[in-house]
Amino acid sequence: MKVLVIEDYPPLLEAVCQGLREEGYAVESAADGEDGLWQARNSHADVIVLDLMLPKLDGLSLLTELRKEDRSTPVLILTARGETEDRVKGLNLGADDYLTKPFAFEELAARVGALLRRRYDDRSPVLAAGPVRIDTAARQTTLNGDELTLTPREYGILELLVRKAGDVVSRSEIWEHVYEFETENTSNVVDVYIGYLRRKLDAGGCRDLIETVRGHGYRIAAGND
Amino acid sequence: MSIRTRLLTGLLVSLTFVLAAGCVALYASYRQTLYVEFDRQLARDAYHGFRLLRAGRPRDDQEPPALPAGLMFTALLDAETGEVKRTAPAESAIDGPALLGEGVPPGEPAYRTHSSDDGELRLMLVHINRPRFGRPPSQRQHWQRWPGRQNLRRPDHNPTTQPTTGPDSERRQRFAGWRQRLVRPDTPPPGEEPPPPDADEPTGRPPEARIEMEEVMVAAADLTPLHAALRRWMLILIAGGTLGELLVVGVVFVAVTRGLRPLRRLEGEIARIDDSHLRHRVPDDGLPGEVRPIVGRLNELLERLDAAFERERAFTASAAHEFRTPLAGLRAQIEVALMRPRSDAEYQATLEKCLAGAIALQQMVDSLLSLASFDAGLTRPRARAVDVAEALREQSARAKELADARGCSLTVDAPDAAQFRVDPVLFEHIVSNLLTNAAEHGDADGAIRAKLAVENGHLDLSVTNPAGSLTQNDLPKMFDRFWRKDESRTDTGQHFGLGMAIVARSVDILDGTIDTRLGGGELEINVRLPAMDGE
């Protein structure tokens, strides 16, 4: 899952990006409004974390612009001004949630997770497909009840596949949601991580859970056990 | 004391005074009229009464002519002795000598009458029209002297001589009387009173030889009805005056209360205004003209207060906002670092970043504290002889680092040494903030020029830098707290928009002036400071 963070205060941007990456998200960042808008249009982010006070183009204008283009990416507003007026304005302009600075990083991560669930119409934080269960809140994956240790990237791919269980997910889609711009887009990268994932799933006793659909991508069968 | 009480008290006092004076005047004039009328009537009645006396006793078969209704009695007295010669009604017991009094010089005629040919006495009307009036003496006085008038005493000191008073011993009478000298034929008419002692002239005198006699005629009329009328009049005046006063006071009370209603409304309007309702203005429609200017001034005061509060709020909000972002950064860095165990190098890197954040926060706190102490008047400039040229070079050496980082050049044009009396700390604030501002916010790769000159007790410092993005509209805002051209913290996160505010306040404290000019894409800030006196 990919998060776009638009924030102009470097220490905060850096810390949030690092934290979200360590939570297993692919993170893109922008330090001003114009760059942020460009990235929001092009990065296929699943959630946007948006500061309101931005140079070049302020957060509210950016949000208005996005919504005008009919982009429904969930947006979480970060605002230094705690005033209700600002928050209401932001929410009315199409923001999905807000956080007032300073905030606990845990809360930011939880809200980003909640927005993601909303994006994929999951009410419960627990995703399941076959023997795989993913607690997206705790970022815990179990296979037939046994805990499965995954790297953030593996986790991101598995989460995407499970969210779209039953559907074929193309390599480029996986790449867009799990990798950041700076990573070179080669299908090989995705394949390598799918290979790692399969190995861990096989070790847990679930062979061929991830199905390769030739010429299209990968799929995990839907259905709960 | 409220306006209403004051108005009402003043009104009540003046109204009472006016009404009382009016009532007294009305009473006096009415009394005067009544007495004049009474005296006229008494004179007329007395005339008839005296004619009655003159007419003598009626024969037995005749009805005695009635005494005029207004008279109590009438009497004919001997002018010398006061002996009662005749009275009407006949049974009236009158103390003649007492009535005559002591003030009548004996034998002195007051008026002369002429006898007619037929021997009948006639009183001249002139006498009647000018009777002598006496007023009954008071309880303490036996008689009362009326200046210029004949003294007639009412013998009320002796109850037996008051036949007409009846049970009411307080009954008042008013007398009319006069002394007349009668010249009459020697033959008294039949049935007349016996001849007076001085009328013992021999009979058969020629008509020229006349017998003169003096007598005093007295008539008394009851004053009770007049007094009663006066009392009624007084009651009417008192009651009418009091009612009138009450009515006027009532009307005025209502009018004043209504008149003051706008003030009460005004009070309500003003009471609504507190620090969260400073936008509210007191409407002056419907207010009395006297109050409108006050409301106008009040609204102006509110305007200023509102502006001050607005600045304060904006400042507080900005300050809070400015603290929130670096704090959020600091907190996020620490929390993310603590999310999982890390290597020493990672911890060290995080700690260094946190330290930088803490230093930035501290600088902001320092700046805010400086401004707060400027605002509170806690900063008293202390004059020292400072080598301002050296101070400028020192500060520009520090700013050069920042300028270099953005590819800017920094040149200083100042004399080798320039002694100037100024507060060194405030001067340093001014110079360092101006240079830092130019280095950090001027166009990248631009040329920054600082120029200093001291002459005629003034110091002129100018800093020029290219500033392509600034507009004329930015100039007035440039010295506002937390003002930044584009709300940006993208560079180092250490600019809070306080530097230029500190410059402005420092210059202000030093009684200097700041002049900003924008032209040809260059911003020029000129600061002029006067040399300080003292110490």
Side-chain angles (χ1 to χ4, degrees), chain A residues 8-9 11-12 14-15 18 22 53 80 100-105, chain B residues 321 324-326 328 331 333 335-336 339-340 342 353 487 489 493:
Chain A
D8 65 331
Y9 184 56
L12 183 59
E14 227 170 85
Q18 186 191 347
E22 288 178 7
M53 293 263 272
T100 307
K101 294 180 190 174
F103 50 84
F105 180 78
Chain B
H321 168 254
R324 279 171 186 278
T325 300
R331 182 170 177 181
Q333 281 169 338
E335 282 181 348
V336 169
M339 268 166 55
R340 64 195 64 214
R342 294 173 195 279
K353 282 187 243 166
E487 304 274 337
R489 288 173 297 264

PDB file of all heavy atoms in Angstrom, chain A residues 8-9 11-12 14-15 18 22 53 80 100-105, chain B residues 321 324-326 328 331 333 335-336 339-340 342 353 487 489 493:
ATOM      1  N   ASP A   8       5.995  20.298   4.455  1.00  0.00           N
ATOM      2  CA  ASP A   8       7.131  21.140   4.089  1.00  0.00           C
ATOM      3  C   ASP A   8       8.184  21.240   5.176  1.00  0.00           C
ATOM      4  O   ASP A   8       9.234  21.822   4.955  1.00  0.00           O
ATOM      5  CB  ASP A   8       6.642  22.540   3.696  1.00  0.00           C
ATOM      6  CG  ASP A   8       6.017  23.246   4.867  1.00  0.00           C
ATOM      7  OD1 ASP A   8       5.475  22.542   5.748  1.00  0.00           O
ATOM      8  OD2 ASP A   8       6.059  24.486   4.911  1.00  0.00           O
ATOM      9  N   TYR A   9       7.893  20.728   6.368  1.00  0.00           N
ATOM     10  CA  TYR A   9       8.889  20.825   7.436  1.00  0.00           C
ATOM     11  C   TYR A   9       9.752  19.577   7.378  1.00  0.00           C
ATOM     12  O   TYR A   9       9.278  18.477   7.726  1.00  0.00           O
ATOM     13  CB  TYR A   9       8.177  20.972   8.780  1.00  0.00           C
ATOM     14  CG  TYR A   9       9.097  21.179   9.944  1.00  0.00           C
ATOM     15  CD1 TYR A   9      10.018  22.228   9.956  1.00  0.00           C
ATOM     16  CD2 TYR A   9       9.040  20.330  11.042  1.00  0.00           C
ATOM     17  CE1 TYR A   9      10.859  22.415  11.032  1.00  0.00           C
ATOM     18  CE2 TYR A   9       9.877  20.517  12.133  1.00  0.00           C
ATOM     19  CZ  TYR A   9      10.785  21.556  12.114  1.00  0.00           C
ATOM     20  OH  TYR A   9      11.618  21.747  13.177  1.00  0.00           O
ATOM     21  N   PRO A  11      12.167  17.912   9.019  1.00  0.00           N
ATOM     22  CA  PRO A  11      12.311  16.871  10.048  1.00  0.00           C
ATOM     23  C   PRO A  11      11.045  16.038  10.197  1.00  0.00           C
ATOM     24  O   PRO A  11      11.115  14.812  10.358  1.00  0.00           O
ATOM     25  CB  PRO A  11      12.575  17.680  11.328  1.00  0.00           C
ATOM     26  CG  PRO A  11      13.098  18.991  10.865  1.00  0.00           C
ATOM     27  CD  PRO A  11      12.446  19.256   9.562  1.00  0.00           C
ATOM     28  N   LEU A  12       9.902  16.690  10.103  1.00  0.00           N
ATOM     29  CA  LEU A  12       8.638  15.973  10.261  1.00  0.00           C
ATOM     30  C   LEU A  12       8.413  15.049   9.070  1.00  0.00           C
ATOM     31  O   LEU A  12       8.052  13.878   9.233  1.00  0.00           O
ATOM     32  CB  LEU A  12       7.492  16.985  10.391  1.00  0.00           C
ATOM     33  CG  LEU A  12       6.115  16.376  10.625  1.00  0.00           C
ATOM     34  CD1 LEU A  12       6.103  15.551  11.898  1.00  0.00           C
ATOM     35  CD2 LEU A  12       5.057  17.462  10.697  1.00  0.00           C
ATOM     36  N   GLU A  14      10.561  13.733   7.068  1.00  0.00           N
ATOM     37  CA  GLU A  14      11.508  12.630   7.130  1.00  0.00           C
ATOM     38  C   GLU A  14      11.047  11.556   8.111  1.00  0.00           C
ATOM     39  O   GLU A  14      11.003  10.373   7.799  1.00  0.00           O
ATOM     40  CB  GLU A  14      12.835  13.196   7.646  1.00  0.00           C
ATOM     41  CG  GLU A  14      14.047  12.771   6.877  1.00  0.00           C
ATOM     42  CD  GLU A  14      15.222  13.606   7.340  1.00  0.00           C
ATOM     43  OE1 GLU A  14      15.836  13.224   8.356  1.00  0.00           O
ATOM     44  OE2 GLU A  14      15.472  14.674   6.710  1.00  0.00           O
ATOM     45  N   ALA A  15      10.665  12.038   9.321  1.00  0.00           N
ATOM     46  CA  ALA A  15      10.287  11.095  10.371  1.00  0.00           C
ATOM     47  C   ALA A  15       9.031  10.333   9.976  1.00  0.00           C
ATOM     48  O   ALA A  15       8.956   9.108  10.158  1.00  0.00           O
ATOM     49  CB  ALA A  15      10.065  11.839  11.684  1.00  0.00           C
ATOM     50  N   GLN A  18       9.812   7.795   7.245  1.00  0.00           N
ATOM     51  CA  GLN A  18      10.548   6.646   7.775  1.00  0.00           C
ATOM     52  C   GLN A  18       9.612   5.728   8.559  1.00  0.00           C
ATOM     53  O   GLN A  18       9.610   4.517   8.380  1.00  0.00           O
ATOM     54  CB  GLN A  18      11.698   7.128   8.662  1.00  0.00           C
ATOM     55  CG  GLN A  18      12.580   5.971   9.119  1.00  0.00           C
ATOM     56  CD  GLN A  18      13.563   6.400  10.208  1.00  0.00           C
ATOM     57  OE1 GLN A  18      13.742   7.586  10.444  1.00  0.00           O
ATOM     58  NE2 GLN A  18      14.187   5.419  10.847  1.00  0.00           N
ATOM     59  N   GLU A  22       8.544   1.909   7.705  1.00  0.00           N
ATOM     60  CA  GLU A  22       8.796   0.802   8.631  1.00  0.00           C
ATOM     61  C   GLU A  22       7.507   0.086   8.990  1.00  0.00           C
ATOM     62  O   GLU A  22       7.515  -1.040   9.448  1.00  0.00           O
ATOM     63  CB  GLU A  22       9.510   1.327   9.883  1.00  0.00           C
ATOM     64  CG  GLU A  22      10.956   1.698   9.565  1.00  0.00           C
ATOM     65  CD  GLU A  22      11.704   2.269  10.754  1.00  0.00           C
ATOM     66  OE1 GLU A  22      11.138   2.249  11.864  1.00  0.00           O
ATOM     67  OE2 GLU A  22      12.839   2.734  10.568  1.00  0.00           O
ATOM     68  N   MET A  53      -0.466  23.967   5.560  1.00  0.00           N
ATOM     69  CA  MET A  53       0.355  25.143   5.263  1.00  0.00           C
ATOM     70  C   MET A  53       1.534  24.711   4.413  1.00  0.00           C
ATOM     71  O   MET A  53       2.498  24.161   4.936  1.00  0.00           O
ATOM     72  CB  MET A  53       0.852  25.753   6.559  1.00  0.00           C
ATOM     73  CG  MET A  53      -0.254  26.337   7.396  1.00  0.00           C
ATOM     74  SD  MET A  53      -0.375  28.079   7.111  1.00  0.00           S
ATOM     75  CE  MET A  53       0.770  28.680   8.312  1.00  0.00           C
ATOM     76  N   ALA A  80      -1.565  22.435  11.749  1.00  0.00           N
ATOM     77  CA  ALA A  80      -0.970  22.979  12.969  1.00  0.00           C
ATOM     78  C   ALA A  80      -2.007  23.818  13.686  1.00  0.00           C
ATOM     79  O   ALA A  80      -1.921  24.034  14.878  1.00  0.00           O
ATOM     80  CB  ALA A  80       0.238  23.820  12.629  1.00  0.00           C
ATOM     81  N   THR A 100      -4.227  16.926  14.325  1.00  0.00           N
ATOM     82  CA  THR A 100      -3.651  18.206  14.694  1.00  0.00           C
ATOM     83  C   THR A 100      -2.219  17.994  15.173  1.00  0.00           C
ATOM     84  O   THR A 100      -1.947  17.093  15.959  1.00  0.00           O
ATOM     85  CB  THR A 100      -4.483  18.829  15.821  1.00  0.00           C
ATOM     86  OG1 THR A 100      -5.844  18.868  15.403  1.00  0.00           O
ATOM     87  CG2 THR A 100      -4.027  20.232  16.111  1.00  0.00           C
ATOM     88  N   LYS A 101      -1.324  18.827  14.678  1.00  0.00           N
ATOM     89  CA  LYS A 101       0.071  18.749  15.107  1.00  0.00           C
ATOM     90  C   LYS A 101       0.201  19.322  16.511  1.00  0.00           C
ATOM     91  O   LYS A 101      -0.472  20.310  16.799  1.00  0.00           O
ATOM     92  CB  LYS A 101       0.955  19.564  14.172  1.00  0.00           C
ATOM     93  CG  LYS A 101       1.061  19.068  12.764  1.00  0.00           C
ATOM     94  CD  LYS A 101       1.976  20.026  12.019  1.00  0.00           C
ATOM     95  CE  LYS A 101       1.962  19.774  10.529  1.00  0.00           C
ATOM     96  NZ  LYS A 101       2.729  20.794   9.807  1.00  0.00           N
ATOM     97  N   PRO A 102       1.034  18.847  17.355  1.00  0.00           N
ATOM     98  CA  PRO A 102       1.814  17.620  17.170  1.00  0.00           C
ATOM     99  C   PRO A 102       0.941  16.402  17.467  1.00  0.00           C
ATOM    100  O   PRO A 102       0.017  16.497  18.249  1.00  0.00           O
ATOM    101  CB  PRO A 102       2.931  17.770  18.203  1.00  0.00           C
ATOM    102  CG  PRO A 102       2.411  18.714  19.213  1.00  0.00           C
ATOM    103  CD  PRO A 102       1.355  19.544  18.593  1.00  0.00           C
ATOM    104  N   PHE A 103       1.289  15.296  16.853  1.00  0.00           N
ATOM    105  CA  PHE A 103       0.449  14.102  16.988  1.00  0.00           C
ATOM    106  C   PHE A 103       1.329  12.920  17.358  1.00  0.00           C
ATOM    107  O   PHE A 103       2.558  12.986  17.226  1.00  0.00           O
ATOM    108  CB  PHE A 103      -0.268  13.819  15.666  1.00  0.00           C
ATOM    109  CG  PHE A 103       0.673  13.831  14.507  1.00  0.00           C
ATOM    110  CD1 PHE A 103       1.408  12.689  14.187  1.00  0.00           C
ATOM    111  CD2 PHE A 103       0.863  14.985  13.759  1.00  0.00           C
ATOM    112  CE1 PHE A 103       2.302  12.713  13.133  1.00  0.00           C
ATOM    113  CE2 PHE A 103       1.762  14.999  12.710  1.00  0.00           C
ATOM    114  CZ  PHE A 103       2.497  13.862  12.392  1.00  0.00           C
ATOM    115  N   ALA A 104       0.673  11.871  17.839  1.00  0.00           N
ATOM    116  CA  ALA A 104       1.432  10.652  18.121  1.00  0.00           C
ATOM    117  C   ALA A 104       1.558   9.891  16.812  1.00  0.00           C
ATOM    118  O   ALA A 104       0.577   9.740  16.087  1.00  0.00           O
ATOM    119  CB  ALA A 104       0.697   9.811  19.155  1.00  0.00           C
ATOM    120  N   PHE A 105       2.747   9.431  16.520  1.00  0.00           N
ATOM    121  CA  PHE A 105       2.936   8.760  15.237  1.00  0.00           C
ATOM    122  C   PHE A 105       2.028   7.540  15.120  1.00  0.00           C
ATOM    123  O   PHE A 105       1.488   7.242  14.068  1.00  0.00           O
ATOM    124  CB  PHE A 105       4.402   8.346  15.051  1.00  0.00           C
ATOM    125  CG  PHE A 105       4.619   7.652  13.750  1.00  0.00           C
ATOM    126  CD1 PHE A 105       4.710   8.388  12.584  1.00  0.00           C
ATOM    127  CD2 PHE A 105       4.649   6.263  13.673  1.00  0.00           C
ATOM    128  CE1 PHE A 105       4.851   7.754  11.368  1.00  0.00           C
ATOM    129  CE2 PHE A 105       4.789   5.625  12.466  1.00  0.00           C
ATOM    130  CZ  PHE A 105       4.896   6.375  11.309  1.00  0.00           C
TER     131      PHE A 105
ATOM    132  N   HIS B 321       0.817  27.942  16.334  1.00  0.00           N
ATOM    133  CA  HIS B 321       1.019  27.213  15.089  1.00  0.00           C
ATOM    134  C   HIS B 321       2.504  26.977  14.832  1.00  0.00           C
ATOM    135  O   HIS B 321       2.926  25.892  14.465  1.00  0.00           O
ATOM    136  CB  HIS B 321       0.398  28.015  13.950  1.00  0.00           C
ATOM    137  CG  HIS B 321       0.782  27.508  12.609  1.00  0.00           C
ATOM    138  ND1 HIS B 321       1.663  28.156  11.804  1.00  0.00           N
ATOM    139  CD2 HIS B 321       0.417  26.388  11.955  1.00  0.00           C
ATOM    140  CE1 HIS B 321       1.820  27.461  10.692  1.00  0.00           C
ATOM    141  NE2 HIS B 321       1.073  26.391  10.752  1.00  0.00           N
ATOM    142  N   ARG B 324       3.791  24.265  16.929  1.00  0.00           N
ATOM    143  CA  ARG B 324       3.248  22.929  16.698  1.00  0.00           C
ATOM    144  C   ARG B 324       4.065  22.133  15.679  1.00  0.00           C
ATOM    145  O   ARG B 324       4.309  20.945  15.879  1.00  0.00           O
ATOM    146  CB  ARG B 324       1.812  23.031  16.189  1.00  0.00           C
ATOM    147  CG  ARG B 324       0.813  23.253  17.278  1.00  0.00           C
ATOM    148  CD  ARG B 324      -0.538  23.571  16.681  1.00  0.00           C
ATOM    149  NE  ARG B 324      -1.480  23.937  17.714  1.00  0.00           N
ATOM    150  CZ  ARG B 324      -2.138  23.061  18.450  1.00  0.00           C
ATOM    151  NH1 ARG B 324      -1.940  21.778  18.261  1.00  0.00           N
ATOM    152  NH2 ARG B 324      -2.975  23.472  19.371  1.00  0.00           N
ATOM    153  N   THR B 325       4.451  22.801  14.605  1.00  0.00           N
ATOM    154  CA  THR B 325       5.118  22.054  13.553  1.00  0.00           C
ATOM    155  C   THR B 325       6.482  21.523  13.996  1.00  0.00           C
ATOM    156  O   THR B 325       6.739  20.323  13.868  1.00  0.00           O
ATOM    157  CB  THR B 325       5.214  22.910  12.292  1.00  0.00           C
ATOM    158  OG1 THR B 325       3.877  23.235  11.911  1.00  0.00           O
ATOM    159  CG2 THR B 325       5.885  22.168  11.164  1.00  0.00           C
ATOM    160  N   PRO B 326       7.363  22.377  14.568  1.00  0.00           N
ATOM    161  CA  PRO B 326       8.633  21.808  15.029  1.00  0.00           C
ATOM    162  C   PRO B 326       8.435  20.772  16.125  1.00  0.00           C
ATOM    163  O   PRO B 326       9.164  19.760  16.167  1.00  0.00           O
ATOM    164  CB  PRO B 326       9.413  23.015  15.560  1.00  0.00           C
ATOM    165  CG  PRO B 326       8.560  24.191  15.421  1.00  0.00           C
ATOM    166  CD  PRO B 326       7.340  23.834  14.663  1.00  0.00           C
ATOM    167  N   ALA B 328       5.865  18.790  16.377  1.00  0.00           N
ATOM    168  CA  ALA B 328       5.391  17.581  15.707  1.00  0.00           C
ATOM    169  C   ALA B 328       6.578  16.840  15.096  1.00  0.00           C
ATOM    170  O   ALA B 328       6.663  15.606  15.180  1.00  0.00           O
ATOM    171  CB  ALA B 328       4.374  17.946  14.631  1.00  0.00           C
ATOM    172  N   ARG B 331       8.609  15.194  17.879  1.00  0.00           N
ATOM    173  CA  ARG B 331       7.916  14.047  18.448  1.00  0.00           C
ATOM    174  C   ARG B 331       7.921  12.868  17.479  1.00  0.00           C
ATOM    175  O   ARG B 331       8.168  11.717  17.875  1.00  0.00           O
ATOM    176  CB  ARG B 331       6.473  14.452  18.774  1.00  0.00           C
ATOM    177  CG  ARG B 331       5.710  13.325  19.402  1.00  0.00           C
ATOM    178  CD  ARG B 331       4.387  13.785  19.948  1.00  0.00           C
ATOM    179  NE  ARG B 331       3.673  12.635  20.463  1.00  0.00           N
ATOM    180  CZ  ARG B 331       2.477  12.700  20.988  1.00  0.00           C
ATOM    181  NH1 ARG B 331       1.861  13.866  21.080  1.00  0.00           N
ATOM    182  NH2 ARG B 331       1.883  11.614  21.440  1.00  0.00           N
ATOM    183  N   GLN B 333      10.038  12.254  15.114  1.00  0.00           N
ATOM    184  CA  GLN B 333      11.389  11.684  15.022  1.00  0.00           C
ATOM    185  C   GLN B 333      11.645  10.727  16.175  1.00  0.00           C
ATOM    186  O   GLN B 333      12.130   9.610  15.994  1.00  0.00           O
ATOM    187  CB  GLN B 333      12.429  12.802  15.043  1.00  0.00           C
ATOM    188  CG  GLN B 333      12.571  13.489  13.697  1.00  0.00           C
ATOM    189  CD  GLN B 333      13.395  14.758  13.778  1.00  0.00           C
ATOM    190  OE1 GLN B 333      13.525  15.332  14.853  1.00  0.00           O
ATOM    191  NE2 GLN B 333      13.923  15.187  12.663  1.00  0.00           N
ATOM    192  N   GLU B 335       9.409   9.252  18.219  1.00  0.00           N
ATOM    193  CA  GLU B 335       8.510   8.095  18.225  1.00  0.00           C
ATOM    194  C   GLU B 335       8.911   7.063  17.176  1.00  0.00           C
ATOM    195  O   GLU B 335       8.911   5.856  17.443  1.00  0.00           O
ATOM    196  CB  GLU B 335       7.069   8.556  17.994  1.00  0.00           C
ATOM    197  CG  GLU B 335       6.454   9.141  19.256  1.00  0.00           C
ATOM    198  CD  GLU B 335       5.031   9.584  19.042  1.00  0.00           C
ATOM    199  OE1 GLU B 335       4.585   9.653  17.878  1.00  0.00           O
ATOM    200  OE2 GLU B 335       4.368   9.874  20.047  1.00  0.00           O
ATOM    201  N   VAL B 336       9.258   7.565  15.984  1.00  0.00           N
ATOM    202  CA  VAL B 336       9.653   6.628  14.932  1.00  0.00           C
ATOM    203  C   VAL B 336      10.941   5.909  15.326  1.00  0.00           C
ATOM    204  O   VAL B 336      11.087   4.701  15.136  1.00  0.00           O
ATOM    205  CB  VAL B 336       9.811   7.371  13.592  1.00  0.00           C
ATOM    206  CG1 VAL B 336      10.484   6.481  12.555  1.00  0.00           C
ATOM    207  CG2 VAL B 336       8.450   7.824  13.088  1.00  0.00           C
ATOM    208  N   MET B 339      10.233   3.062  17.604  1.00  0.00           N
ATOM    209  CA  MET B 339       9.330   2.013  17.147  1.00  0.00           C
ATOM    210  C   MET B 339       9.977   0.637  17.205  1.00  0.00           C
ATOM    211  O   MET B 339       9.317  -0.363  17.423  1.00  0.00           O
ATOM    212  CB  MET B 339       8.871   2.317  15.714  1.00  0.00           C
ATOM    213  CG  MET B 339       7.593   3.115  15.674  1.00  0.00           C
ATOM    214  SD  MET B 339       7.271   3.818  14.053  1.00  0.00           S
ATOM    215  CE  MET B 339       7.317   2.402  12.997  1.00  0.00           C
ATOM    216  N   ARG B 340      11.277   0.602  16.960  1.00  0.00           N
ATOM    217  CA  ARG B 340      11.964  -0.695  16.978  1.00  0.00           C
ATOM    218  C   ARG B 340      13.419  -0.471  17.407  1.00  0.00           C
ATOM    219  O   ARG B 340      13.889   0.674  17.372  1.00  0.00           O
ATOM    220  CB  ARG B 340      11.912  -1.337  15.599  1.00  0.00           C
ATOM    221  CG  ARG B 340      12.646  -0.546  14.538  1.00  0.00           C
ATOM    222  CD  ARG B 340      12.269  -1.003  13.167  1.00  0.00           C
ATOM    223  NE  ARG B 340      10.858  -0.738  12.923  1.00  0.00           N
ATOM    224  CZ  ARG B 340      10.097  -1.523  12.183  1.00  0.00           C
ATOM    225  NH1 ARG B 340      10.594  -2.624  11.651  1.00  0.00           N
ATOM    226  NH2 ARG B 340       8.836  -1.218  11.976  1.00  0.00           N
ATOM    227  N   ARG B 342      17.226  -0.074  17.193  1.00  0.00           N
ATOM    228  CA  ARG B 342      18.047   0.402  16.074  1.00  0.00           C
ATOM    229  C   ARG B 342      19.523   0.359  16.436  1.00  0.00           C
ATOM    230  O   ARG B 342      19.894   0.207  17.601  1.00  0.00           O
ATOM    231  CB  ARG B 342      17.668   1.839  15.715  1.00  0.00           C
ATOM    232  CG  ARG B 342      16.271   1.942  15.184  1.00  0.00           C
ATOM    233  CD  ARG B 342      15.839   3.363  14.978  1.00  0.00           C
ATOM    234  NE  ARG B 342      14.378   3.393  14.821  1.00  0.00           N
ATOM    235  CZ  ARG B 342      13.776   3.116  13.680  1.00  0.00           C
ATOM    236  NH1 ARG B 342      14.479   2.811  12.613  1.00  0.00           N
ATOM    237  NH2 ARG B 342      12.470   3.143  13.616  1.00  0.00           N
ATOM    238  N   LYS B 353      19.304  15.036  14.875  1.00  0.00           N
ATOM    239  CA  LYS B 353      18.184  15.739  14.257  1.00  0.00           C
ATOM    240  C   LYS B 353      17.300  16.378  15.332  1.00  0.00           C
ATOM    241  O   LYS B 353      16.831  17.513  15.195  1.00  0.00           O
ATOM    242  CB  LYS B 353      17.354  14.771  13.403  1.00  0.00           C
ATOM    243  CG  LYS B 353      17.982  14.475  12.057  1.00  0.00           C
ATOM    244  CD  LYS B 353      17.030  13.647  11.220  1.00  0.00           C
ATOM    245  CE  LYS B 353      17.636  12.295  10.908  1.00  0.00           C
ATOM    246  NZ  LYS B 353      16.690  11.312  10.390  1.00  0.00           N
ATOM    247  N   GLU B 487       4.855  31.414   3.507  1.00  0.00           N
ATOM    248  CA  GLU B 487       4.516  30.480   4.588  1.00  0.00           C
ATOM    249  C   GLU B 487       5.416  29.246   4.545  1.00  0.00           C
ATOM    250  O   GLU B 487       5.031  28.164   4.957  1.00  0.00           O
ATOM    251  CB  GLU B 487       3.064  30.008   4.456  1.00  0.00           C
ATOM    252  CG  GLU B 487       2.059  31.134   4.424  1.00  0.00           C
ATOM    253  CD  GLU B 487       1.651  31.570   5.806  1.00  0.00           C
ATOM    254  OE1 GLU B 487       1.791  30.751   6.736  1.00  0.00           O
ATOM    255  OE2 GLU B 487       1.229  32.718   5.959  1.00  0.00           O
ATOM    256  N   ARG B 489       8.605  26.745   5.168  1.00  0.00           N
ATOM    257  CA  ARG B 489       9.683  26.405   6.098  1.00  0.00           C
ATOM    258  C   ARG B 489      10.627  25.438   5.422  1.00  0.00           C
ATOM    259  O   ARG B 489      11.294  24.669   6.049  1.00  0.00           O
ATOM    260  CB  ARG B 489       9.105  25.730   7.347  1.00  0.00           C
ATOM    261  CG  ARG B 489       8.363  26.628   8.256  1.00  0.00           C
ATOM    262  CD  ARG B 489       7.726  25.799   9.340  1.00  0.00           C
ATOM    263  NE  ARG B 489       6.771  24.883   8.752  1.00  0.00           N
ATOM    264  CZ  ARG B 489       5.473  25.132   8.669  1.00  0.00           C
ATOM    265  NH1 ARG B 489       4.999  26.241   9.160  1.00  0.00           N
ATOM    266  NH2 ARG B 489       4.656  24.268   8.125  1.00  0.00           N
ATOM    267  N   GLY B 493      13.871  24.949   8.423  1.00  0.00           N
ATOM    268  CA  GLY B 493      12.924  24.831   9.524  1.00  0.00           C
ATOM    269  C   GLY B 493      13.292  25.727  10.669  1.00  0.00           C
ATOM    270  O   GLY B 493      12.857  25.552  11.793  1.00  0.00           O
TER     271      GLY B 493
END
